[in-house]
Amino acid sequence: MKSAKNQAVAEKTPLLKDADKLVQQYPCVPLTVDCVIFGFEENKLKVLLIRSDLEVYKGKWSLLGDVVRDNEELDDAAYRVLQERTGMSNVYLKQVHTFGGLQRHPGGRVVTVAYASLLNIKHHELRITENELHWHNVRTVRDMAFDHREIIDTCYNWLQKSIQEHPLGFNLLPEKFSLRELQNLYEAILNIELDRRNFRKKFFSMDFLVDTGEYEADVKHRPGKLYQFDFGKYEKSKRKWIGIDF
Amino acid sequence: MKSAKNQAVAEKTPLLKDADKLVQQYPCVPLTVDCVIFGFEENKLKVLLIRSDLEVYKGKWSLLGDVVRDNEELDDAAYRVLQERTGMSNVYLKQVHTFGGLQRHPGGRVVTVAYASLLNIKHHELRITENELHWHNVRTVRDMAFDHREIIDTCYNWLQKSIQEHPLGFNLLPEKFSLRELQNLYEAILNIELDRRNFRKKFFSMDFLVDTGEYEADVKHRPGKLYQFDFGKYEKSKRKWIGIDF
DNA sequence: GCAAAAGTGTTGTCCTTACACCCATGC
DNA sequence: GCATGGGTGTAAGGACAACACTTTTGC
């Protein structure tokens, strides 16, 4: 079988003149994007979900997704879903993985490209009426439609890894935040406890936090200072990380 | 525009009974996989390419790819390409990124899922007649068809990162290798020079290298010891890496 | 003045880096 | 015996982990 194929290819294959015709012969699959929209609230990492509108998944929760349109870039499709669902642009968005399992959609094969996006919950007023759109605890939410639990897990793993290597977490916080909020965020995402003093030392030594001179309000204890992350300074001083470590 | 949509959705939408019909309405795109097959030879990181068989890309180099068939899992499609082109199974293979640019294929929109695979060049006897299949230097190869230069760059970045976190490099080496070969591999992939003594210390302290008792042959200097990587021991002692570092 | 969390420094350990000399083999 | 690369040890510096007390505010 294999040798027959080799023989065929070994003969001088003529070049294909008509790329269009070639592509028209290809099998086609429906393609969607799904956005795993992470948020942070009440010291918990949350994910934004709606009720599935498929009968077979009645009562199950679903990621925000849509078909990729003809003549639409993948990233653009994901940004469109975000815009339509949250009204937000300028959101951190990253392609994470593509899921193509044959049985993942009850209506036949549908391949989906999963994007993770991080947004500040405070900037987004939910319109609850739309399919019960609301925030769920990432680690505990069950009863998911499709393979969406697997997609969330993959994106959550990606997030855990990424916030240790890049300053992504700030996209989940208000523009001005206390160090306690920042630490709560890392503890929630990594699901570990961190030493407060060492955590502060670590972030101050990076030297990307700007003291705003402002303080927390409405807390019933000594208010903490509020900081901003200096993205500009970070971009300029990005260092290449070299360190074999496994 | 948006508010009109919101109104529509706000009304109690009935659940969709027929998932099949829904999916049949979706637009379809041709889907392919492309394999970025890395190898290591003459202390250079190589990538396996063929001549494109499209007239518009006459003389250009192309990744090994193929259409994803109906009823074929994405990973299976990538393994099939590997098997057909190199005769090898049991190869390291990983989905890296999906490319969906509207202009990436001259025959119309084609979305491709890029996989990186690592294989030991010595295990693979090239059949040169097939579209001039052969190895190219990763960093210097030009004249690529489609967006394949970009795909290679993305996979190369992925590889640089991954070999520092996981013991992937061993998939590019013979089963038994000297420490010099291992170091050459890391230097070639990371494009840096490493201190020989510290490199040895690092790997010995990990304690995953097994001394085979054998030595290099056919070298015109003192022969080095040959080692094997203990994948079993590594799997057992995988540690979770926690360390904020950006 | 009491509760609650903010803010701060030191010490020991480990990891990384930089660096120089002897050893085994082929020719 | 000489050229080539294999093999080893040590010391200094930097990062990280562990740990306790004082300060500020609300009540």
Side-chain angles (χ1 to χ4, degrees):
Chain A
M1 189 178 94
K2 181 153 42 110
S3 60
K5 179 178 168 50
N6 293 348
Q7 286 299 327
V9 185
E11 290 156 27
K12 196 70 187 173
T13 357
L15 292 178
L16 293 170
K17 293 224 157 79
D18 197 336
D20 293 37
K21 258 195 195 135
L22 175 73
V23 169
Q24 279 156 25
Q25 291 166 7
Y26 287 174
C28 270
V29 294
L31 188 66
T32 60
V33 290
D34 280 298
C35 290
V36 181
I37 304 176
F38 291 111
F40 184 66
E41 198 178 46
E42 297 164 342
N43 292 339
K44 297 272 193 306
L45 184 66
K46 303 288 181 79
V47 61
L48 197 52
L49 301 174
I50 54 174
R51 289 277 189 201
S52 174
D53 51 6
L54 287 184
E55 172 78 23
V56 285
Y57 286 135
K58 186 174 173 178
K60 306 267 185 189
W61 297 103
S62 167
L63 292 170
L64 306 183
D66 197 6
V67 158
V68 178
R69 297 175 181 166
D70 297 331
N71 301 315
E72 185 178 44
E73 298 277 347
L74 297 177
D75 289 3
D76 291 345
Y79 278 115
R80 176 171 55 79
V81 168
L82 273 173
Q83 173 67 40
E84 288 175 0
R85 297 293 188 168
T86 70
M88 292 185 73
S89 43
N90 290 341
V91 167
Y92 187 89
L93 185 78
K94 176 95 180 170
Q95 189 196 113
V96 175
H97 196 81
T98 297
F99 296 82
L102 297 174
Q103 305 303 327
R104 59 174 299 280
H105 196 297
R109 181 176 217 181
V110 177
V111 173
T112 197
V113 184
Y115 282 81
S117 41
L118 311 182
L119 67 81
N120 175 355
I121 288 184
K122 289 280 154 53
H123 286 173
H124 173 57
E125 203 60 39
L126 292 181
R127 297 169 299 243
I128 304 283
T129 47
E130 298 180 15
N131 290 311
E132 301 179 52
L133 175 77
H134 70 271
W135 295 101
H136 297 252
N137 187 308
V138 167
R139 268 198 297 278
T140 57
V141 61
R142 291 288 176 273
D143 292 317
M144 305 276 317
F146 307 99
D147 53 353
H148 285 185
R149 181 70 239 175
E150 183 189 352
I151 295 179
I152 289 179
D153 289 340
T154 300
C155 289
Y156 180 42
N157 286 336
W158 166 85
L159 178 62
Q160 287 191 316
K161 200 169 162 210
S162 294
I163 60 155
Q164 297 181 63
E165 296 172 21
H166 309 286
L168 296 189
F170 304 100
N171 293 297
L172 294 162
L173 291 175
E175 201 194 347
K176 299 172 182 179
F177 49 86
S178 67
L179 270 178
R180 163 56 56 189
E181 285 178 286
L182 186 61
Q183 184 177 341
N184 285 342
L185 175 70
Y186 272 84
E187 290 185 337
I189 293 178
L190 298 176
N191 202 22
I192 53 172
E193 294 201 340
L194 297 164
D195 181 271
R196 216 174 77 251
R197 293 158 289 193
N198 293 335
F199 183 83
R200 296 173 147 266
K201 236 179 304 173
K202 182 76 193 172
F203 271 89
F204 286 139
S205 73
M206 287 179 196
D207 209 28
F208 296 132
L209 295 184
V210 182
D211 187 339
T212 63
E214 297 173 51
Y215 289 84
E216 291 178 300
D218 303 322
V219 287
K220 46 177 190 273
H221 53 78
R222 176 177 174 178
K225 282 190 180 180
L226 296 179
Y227 296 87
Q228 285 180 295
F229 186 78
D230 189 338
F231 282 97
K233 190 169 181 182
Y234 166 72
E235 287 299 327
K236 269 184 235 156
S237 70
K238 257 183 202 167
R239 68 182 181 81
K240 234 199 161 94
W241 176 67
I242 297 277
I244 300 158
D245 202 8
F246 51 82
Chain B
M1 190 178 96
K2 181 154 44 114
S3 62
K5 181 181 168 47
N6 291 348
Q7 285 301 326
V9 185
E11 291 157 24
K12 196 72 187 169
T13 355
L15 292 178
L16 292 170
K17 292 224 156 82
D18 197 336
D20 293 39
K21 260 196 194 134
L22 175 75
V23 170
Q24 278 155 28
Q25 292 166 6
Y26 286 174
C28 269
V29 294
L31 188 68
T32 60
V33 290
D34 280 298
C35 290
V36 180
I37 304 175
F38 291 111
F40 184 67
E41 197 178 46
E42 297 163 344
N43 292 339
K44 297 271 194 304
L45 183 66
K46 303 288 180 79
V47 61
L48 197 53
L49 302 174
I50 54 174
R51 289 278 190 202
S52 173
D53 50 7
L54 287 185
E55 173 78 23
V56 285
Y57 287 135
K58 187 175 173 178
K60 305 268 184 189
W61 297 103
S62 166
L63 292 171
L64 307 182
D66 197 5
V67 157
V68 178
R69 297 177 182 164
D70 296 331
N71 301 315
E72 185 178 44
E73 297 277 347
L74 297 177
D75 289 4
D76 291 345
Y79 277 115
R80 176 171 55 77
V81 168
L82 274 172
Q83 173 67 40
E84 287 174 1
R85 296 294 188 167
T86 70
M88 292 185 73
S89 43
N90 289 342
V91 167
Y92 187 88
L93 184 78
K94 177 95 178 170
Q95 188 196 115
V96 175
H97 197 81
T98 297
F99 295 83
L102 297 173
Q103 306 302 329
R104 59 173 300 279
H105 196 297
R109 180 176 218 182
V110 178
V111 172
T112 197
V113 184
Y115 282 81
S117 41
L118 311 181
L119 67 81
N120 174 356
I121 289 184
K122 288 280 155 52
H123 285 174
H124 172 57
E125 203 62 38
L126 291 182
R127 299 167 299 241
I128 304 281
T129 46
E130 298 179 16
N131 290 311
E132 301 179 52
L133 176 76
H134 70 272
W135 295 99
H136 298 251
N137 186 309
V138 167
R139 268 198 297 278
T140 57
V141 60
R142 292 287 176 275
D143 292 319
M144 306 272 321
F146 309 98
D147 54 352
H148 286 185
R149 182 69 240 177
E150 184 190 350
I151 295 178
I152 289 178
D153 288 340
T154 300
C155 288
Y156 180 41
N157 286 336
W158 166 86
L159 179 61
Q160 287 191 315
K161 201 173 161 203
S162 294
I163 61 156
Q164 296 182 60
E165 299 172 19
H166 309 286
L168 297 187
F170 304 100
N171 293 297
L172 294 162
L173 292 174
E175 200 192 350
K176 298 171 182 180
F177 50 86
S178 67
L179 270 178
R180 164 57 56 187
E181 286 176 286
L182 185 61
Q183 185 177 340
N184 286 342
L185 175 70
Y186 273 84
E187 290 184 338
I189 292 178
L190 298 177
N191 201 24
I192 53 172
E193 295 202 338
L194 296 164
D195 181 273
R196 214 172 81 252
R197 292 158 289 192
N198 293 335
F199 184 84
R200 297 174 148 265
K201 238 178 303 172
K202 181 77 194 172
F203 271 89
F204 286 139
S205 73
M206 286 181 197
D207 209 28
F208 296 132
L209 295 183
V210 181
D211 187 338
T212 63
E214 296 173 53
Y215 289 84
E216 289 177 299
D218 303 322
V219 287
K220 47 177 189 279
H221 53 79
R222 174 175 174 181
K225 282 189 179 179
L226 296 179
Y227 297 88
Q228 286 180 295
F229 186 79
D230 189 338
F231 283 96
K233 190 169 181 182
Y234 166 72
E235 288 298 329
K236 267 184 240 159
S237 70
K238 257 184 204 166
R239 69 182 180 83
K240 233 195 164 99
W241 177 68
I242 297 277
I244 300 158
D245 203 7
F246 50 84

